[in-house]
Amino acid sequence: MMDWNADLYENKHDFVAEYGRDLLSHVPENPSQSILDLGCGTGMLTHALLEKSSSVVGLDASPEMIGKARQLYPGMDFRVMDACRMPWNNWFDLVFSNAAFHWIPDQEKLLKAVFRILKPQGKLICEFGAYHNILRIRETFQASLKRIGLTPNTRFYFPTAEEYRSLLEQTGLHPELVLDFDRPTPLKDGPDGLRNWVRQFFCADLKNLTEKKRSRIFKEMEEALRDDLWDGSQWVADYRRIRVMAVK
Ligand SMILES: C[S@@+](CC[C@H](N)C(=O)[O-])C[C@H]1O[C@@H](n2cnc3c(N)ncnc32)[C@H](O)[C@@H]1O
């Protein structure tokens, strides 16, 4: 499993959760509903979900992320757990998830688990990376790794809307909305934005490399991507998202 740097996430990549606020607007307000925030990270959206209900649980596989969430939002219910191994049955009215599903390679297992923990009529509201998400970034990263004799081992699940719709149906979840769209995403920190991003999200590939090799990869990527993703003052990552609403 990938190690998450919770401080780097909280300081430089809080845009991930900021974008998730828009997804929150689709969550109905109802004090008696029970909500799970799946892959909650450092807990910003889990905390924001308290505006919708008083019964909110945050779950994440990373002890670092949950440690940070507990520190930031003491008193809230956070659990370290793999989403494919959730223990509940017919328990939640709503499963919410932002920017987490694409990190989970076994989507069938994940959706079966989501189905199981939802009550009948319960709802899944999630958003994550769609087909061709960060395609240019991935291509250049892969090319740089290849030059030093390595292949990437960070695996993502980025489906098309059609593919995901049929996976939901296969699991017994009725899709109300499955929409994919481009969402160019500005990165913080001017010239360092891209390398910060690569450090965070490709850390599984970088962790065994020397700092010299990492710097070389960053420089190669910056050169290759400048024309497409540098807007003169910041890096703008080529994000594509898929937004899903489905009912059990
Ligand atoms: C980019 S973060 C998003 C965090 C948060 N939802 C937000 O919007 O800021 C992705 C999170 O998914 C979590 N994750 C990845 N695989 C998981 C799994 N199998 N079960 C639970 N969480 C997982 C990671 O640990 C990480 O915290």
Side-chain angles (χ1 to χ4, degrees), residues 4 9 16-17 39-41 45 59-62 65 81-83 98-100 103-104 201:
W4 283 84
Y9 189 76
V16 176
C40 65
L45 294 170
L59 168 162
D60 201 286
S62 157
M65 289 300 222
M81 197 185 288
D82 178 350
N98 180 53
W103 291 101
I104 303 174
F201 296 107

Side-chain angles (χ1 to χ4, degrees), residues 8-9 11-16 19 133-134 137 183-202 221-222 225 229-239 241:
L8 180 61
Y9 189 76
N11 294 326
K12 302 290 183 205
H13 302 125
D14 47 334
F15 68 82
V16 176
Y19 277 110
N133 188 39
I134 52 160
I137 295 183
R183 198 202 65 200
T185 300
L187 305 178
K188 275 186 184 174
D189 253 11
D192 287 336
L194 183 67
R195 52 182 65 205
N196 289 343
W197 189 97
V198 175
R199 267 188 207 281
Q200 173 105 61
F201 296 107
F202 291 144
M221 290 182 73
E222 285 162 356
L225 292 171
L229 304 184
W230 174 256
D231 77 356
S233 58
Q234 62 186 354
W235 291 98
V236 182
D238 51 344
Y239 274 57
R241 300 325 255 179

Side-chain angles (χ1 to χ4, degrees), residues 1-3 153 202-210 214:
M1 199 189 75
M2 181 167 129
D3 296 328
N153 61 40
F202 291 144
C203 84
D205 291 297
L206 296 177
K207 70 177 176 205
N208 295 323
L209 299 183
T210 60
R214 287 183 201 152

Side-chain angles (χ1 to χ4, degrees), residues 3-196:
D3 296 328
W4 283 84
N5 179 335
D7 287 319
L8 180 61
Y9 189 76
E10 190 64 19
N11 294 326
K12 302 290 183 205
H13 302 125
D14 47 334
F15 68 82
V16 176
E18 284 298 341
Y19 277 110
R21 285 194 181 276
D22 187 44
L23 188 64
L24 271 185
S25 65
H26 296 276
V27 175
E29 262 176 60
N30 174 356
S32 66
Q33 69 187 335
S34 53
I35 304 182
L36 176 74
D37 184 5
L38 191 158
C40 65
T42 51
M44 181 174 126
L45 294 170
T46 328
H47 182 249
L49 280 164
L50 287 177
E51 291 162 23
K52 309 287 185 171
S53 161
S54 53
S55 169
V56 181
V57 178
L59 168 162
D60 201 286
S62 157
E64 289 77 17
M65 289 300 222
I66 291 294
K68 190 78 194 173
R70 286 186 178 138
Q71 188 189 327
L72 290 169
Y73 308 106
M76 286 197 69
D77 187 351
F78 289 109
R79 319 263 178 112
V80 178
M81 197 185 288
D82 178 350
C84 293
R85 297 165 185 272
M86 299 182 287
W88 302 279
N89 279 299
N90 296 326
W91 193 259
F92 291 99
D93 296 290
L94 199 135
V95 171
F96 176 90
S97 180
N98 180 53
F101 274 33
H102 53 246
W103 291 101
I104 303 174
D106 194 342
Q107 282 293 306
E108 262 179 58
K109 199 167 178 191
L110 173 66
L111 283 182
K112 275 186 187 153
V114 169
F115 181 87
R116 184 166 25 78
I117 69 168
L118 280 172
K119 291 179 189 167
Q121 305 303 316
K123 203 163 187 175
L124 168 67
I125 298 185
C126 67
E127 191 169 305
F128 57 100
Y131 183 66
H132 277 177
N133 188 39
I134 52 160
L135 180 64
R136 295 284 297 120
I137 295 183
R138 284 186 289 136
E139 282 172 350
T140 52
F141 184 64
Q142 197 164 351
S144 279
L145 281 188
K146 205 171 167 193
R147 257 175 241 124
I148 52 174
L150 300 173
T151 46
N153 61 40
T154 307
R155 283 201 300 143
F156 296 106
Y157 176 74
F158 295 143
T160 63
E162 298 71 40
E163 184 184 333
Y164 212 67
R165 183 176 281 277
S166 63
L167 197 60
L168 288 162
E169 281 165 351
Q170 207 177 296
T171 318
L173 290 164
H174 306 290
E176 287 184 335
L177 173 92
V178 184
L179 180 71
D180 58 353
F181 54 96
D182 290 343
R183 198 202 65 200
T185 300
L187 305 178
K188 275 186 184 174
D189 253 11
D192 287 336
L194 183 67
R195 52 182 65 205
N196 289 343

